[in-house]
């Protein structure tokens, strides 16, 4: 037995293998969640945007993403080295902590995949699929990879220099996807009929199924970030469950008070909001802190999803209202509720730590949010100027499923959204596609 093999803990490895599969499942879960929220004419396009992200991000991550994110810092805490381009030097005997490095790299890959897929919700119904294929790999390299290095990579400035805490991805996943979603929504502009037409979810059972799969996978997301089968993983697991529950209840309480009725969409959204917020803090706060974090996110995010109508940005599926706002809440509340029994040192305001940790969390939130927004806005504008990012009016009106993919999710219209597909409509769609 080699020394490397002897240092691998089989229990930790088994748990991380399972956690990696759980996190990968979150992207198909997200596809169902988003797919149910759009109208019938764009269901398949929404599913495709998530599924193709798995393929695109995987290729980029294996080629250079992992090395740049988790390679040795090349100076300033901003980016890793190119020592592991093409996963060079990472054979089966290479070890990261107590697990094989290849497994650690795959686990981190699943985070990058779902982060890119999350952004699609902000531009649902109106983005060119070809432009999305160009955007995703470039965004992964220019936005996700650097931020992942800042927060988790060896020598990353947020981790080592600033000292901000983020256990499972409030900064690299939630805030980057939310800020990037806002930037891309501004680049593309609002959907046809925004604030005029009712754009209700076409399939709420699909939304609930997607939310359930997301919740299931989130245990791998958060508890897996302990990188071992240990007490910290157990605490993160329980905190994740608790915050999802209070997030759900908080959202429903707001709906009952504001609208007079709790909804299935609200329960799904509230659970996701609580899970988003506990992601950065699940390894830093006590169970009581987790309950408060989830409740705060469910309550605030239920109001935040309405900001788009007041501020006139069309975040189609509430990526900004849930992921950006929820990520900010969860990251900042570490500075309030962090306990040393979880962090092995840093404490929040309510536990005698003063304002220091809260200040560090705030700096990290502003830096990551601003970076993700500015780079994504520039990238989106570049793609829009060169190949066009927005689908044509005719494509958007007819539906991206038929005009882009030459398919429909249903043989007949659902909930009044369209008539049975005819041969003439297919020929018309193919004409639109050829002209695009």
């Amino acid at each position: 037995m080699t020394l490397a093999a002897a240092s691998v803990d089989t229990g930790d490895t088994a748990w991380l293998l399972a956690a990696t599969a759980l996190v990968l499942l979150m992207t198909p879960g997200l596809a169902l969640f988003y797919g149910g929220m759009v109208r019938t004419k764009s269901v398949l396009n929404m599913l495709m945007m998530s599924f193709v992200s798995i393929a695109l991000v995987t290729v980029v991550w294996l080629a250079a993403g992992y090395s740049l994110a988790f390679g040795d810092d090349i100076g300033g805490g901003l980016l890793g080295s190119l020592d592991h381009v093409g996963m060079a030097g990472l054979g089966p005997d290479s070890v990261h902590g107590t697990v094989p490095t290849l497994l650690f790299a795959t686990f981190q890959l699943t985070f990058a995949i779902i982060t890119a897929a999350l952004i699609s919700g902000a531009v649902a119904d109106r983005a060119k699929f070809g432009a999305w294929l160009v955007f995703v790999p470039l965004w992964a390299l220019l936005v996700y990879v650097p931020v992942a290095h800042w927060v988790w990579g060896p020598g990353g400035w947020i981790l080592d220099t600033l000292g901000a805490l983020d256990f499972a991805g409030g900064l690299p996943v939630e805030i980057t996807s939310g800020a990037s979603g806002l930037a891309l929504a501004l680049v593309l502009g609002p959907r046809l009929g925004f604030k005029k037409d009712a754009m209700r979810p076409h399939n709420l059972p699909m939304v609930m199924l997607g939310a359930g799969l997301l919740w299931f996978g989130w245990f791998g997301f958060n508890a897996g970030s302990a990188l071992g089968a240990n007490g910290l993983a157990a605490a993160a697991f329980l905190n994740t469950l608790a915050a999802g529950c209070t997030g759900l209840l908080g959202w429903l309480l707001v709906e009952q008070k504001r609208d007079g009725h709790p909804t299935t969409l609200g329960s799904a959204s509230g659970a996701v909001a609580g899970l988003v917020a506990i992601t950065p803090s699940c390894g830093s706060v006590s169970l009581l802190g987790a309950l408060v974090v989830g409740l705060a996110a469910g309550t605030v995010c239920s109001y935040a999803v309405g900001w788009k109508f007041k501020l006139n940005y069309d975040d189609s599926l509430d990526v900004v209202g849930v992921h950006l706002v929820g990520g900010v809440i969860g990251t900042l509340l570490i500075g309030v509720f962090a306990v040393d029994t979880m962090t092995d040192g840093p404490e929040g305001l309510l536990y005698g730590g003063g304002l220091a940790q809260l200040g560090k969390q705030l700096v990290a939130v502003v830096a990551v949010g601003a970076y993700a927004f500015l780079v994504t806005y520039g990238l989106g504008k570049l793609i829009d100027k060169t190949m066009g990012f927005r689908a044509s009016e005719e494509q958007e009106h007819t539906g991206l499923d038929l005009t882009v993919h030459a398919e429909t999710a249903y043989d007949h219209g659902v909930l009044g959204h369209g008539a049975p597909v005819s041969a003439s409509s297919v020929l018309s769609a193919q004409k639109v596609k050829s002209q695009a």
Side-chain angles (χ1 to χ4, degrees):
M1 180 181 295
T2 66
L3 180 61
S7 65
V8 169
D9 185 287
T10 54
D12 291 346
T13 300
W15 164 234
L16 197 60
L17 283 166
T20 301
L22 285 170
V23 182
L24 182 60
L25 180 64
M26 291 177 73
T27 299
L30 179 72
L32 292 173
F33 185 70
Y34 279 172
M37 290 176 70
V38 296
R39 291 167 289 180
T40 55
K41 60 185 180 180
S42 295
V43 182
L44 300 179
N45 179 257
M46 206 70 251
L47 298 177
M48 282 286 286
M49 291 177 83
S50 284
F51 270 83
V52 79
S53 297
I54 298 176
L56 293 170
V57 177
T58 296
V59 172
V60 168
W61 189 257
L62 298 179
Y66 174 76
S67 185
L68 292 170
F70 290 96
D72 292 336
D73 188 74
I74 56 176
L78 299 177
L79 203 61
S81 70
L82 292 172
D83 292 345
H84 302 301
V85 167
M87 307 303 284
L90 301 179
D93 288 336
S94 178
V95 178
H96 180 96
T98 60
V99 300
T101 305
L102 291 175
L103 175 57
F104 172 76
T106 308
F107 179 64
Q108 295 297 339
L109 163 62
T110 60
F111 281 61
I113 289 170
I114 194 169
T115 307
L118 282 169
I119 301 170
S120 66
V123 294
D125 288 329
R126 63 196 189 280
K128 281 186 177 180
F129 189 67
W132 180 251
L133 296 179
V134 174
F135 171 80
V136 168
L138 292 176
W139 182 88
L141 280 175
L142 295 175
V143 178
Y144 183 84
V145 164
V147 175
H149 182 76
W150 300 353
V151 178
W152 295 321
W157 74 270
I158 288 180
L159 174 69
D160 286 1
T161 305
L162 179 62
L165 301 176
D166 186 347
F167 189 74
L171 293 162
V173 177
E174 309 300 351
I175 291 177
T176 58
S177 63
S180 297
L182 175 60
L184 214 55
L186 293 176
V187 170
L188 269 65
R191 288 166 291 177
L192 298 176
F194 176 62
K195 296 201 293 187
K196 296 179 182 179
D197 300 338
M199 299 181 182
R200 300 185 182 92
H202 89 281
N203 192 327
L204 287 170
M206 184 186 292
V207 173
M208 296 294 281
L209 175 60
L213 289 173
L214 284 170
W215 200 336
F216 178 60
W218 228 298
F219 292 116
F221 203 92
N222 288 356
S225 293
L227 302 180
N230 51 41
L232 183 58
F237 195 106
L238 181 57
N239 283 346
T240 299
L241 176 60
C245 292
T246 52
L248 185 156
L249 294 173
W251 194 297
L252 292 186
L253 287 172
V254 171
E255 283 191 329
Q256 181 64 47
K257 181 179 179 181
R258 181 185 61 200
D259 309 321
H261 45 262
T263 67
T264 52
L265 180 60
S267 66
S269 300
V272 171
L275 294 165
V276 165
I278 200 61
T279 293
S281 53
C282 61
S284 304
V285 303
S286 66
L287 179 57
L288 175 61
L291 292 168
V292 175
V293 166
L295 183 63
T299 303
V300 175
C301 291
S302 64
Y303 289 106
V305 296
W307 295 349
K308 62 184 177 184
F309 299 110
K310 297 179 180 179
L311 300 177
N312 203 37
Y313 63 89
D314 187 9
D315 168 26
S316 306
L317 306 183
D318 301 320
V319 180
V320 177
V322 174
H323 293 275
L324 177 58
V325 174
V328 169
I329 290 171
T331 304
L332 290 180
L333 288 183
I334 292 173
V336 178
F337 293 106
V339 293
D340 61 357
T341 54
M342 295 285 286
T343 64
D344 287 331
E347 293 179 307
L349 178 64
L350 294 185
Y351 293 89
L355 293 171
Q357 193 61 45
L358 181 59
K360 295 174 182 179
Q361 301 300 126
L362 178 60
V363 170
V365 164
V366 172
V368 170
Y371 176 80
F373 178 87
L374 292 173
V375 175
T376 303
Y377 189 85
L379 177 60
K381 279 290 187 182
L382 178 63
I383 294 174
D384 192 44
K385 294 293 184 183
T386 54
M387 62 181 296
F389 215 137
R390 177 79 183 249
S392 70
E393 287 192 15
E394 188 169 356
Q395 285 179 313
E396 187 176 341
H397 178 75
T398 303
L400 300 179
D401 286 0
L402 193 58
T403 59
V404 176
H405 307 293
E407 298 173 301
T408 57
Y410 307 99
D411 287 337
H412 299 280
V414 177
L415 302 177
H417 292 290
V421 177
S422 65
S424 61
S425 66
V426 173
L427 290 174
S428 175
Q430 290 174 341
K431 180 180 178 181
V432 172
K433 183 179 178 182
S434 66
Q435 292 173 346

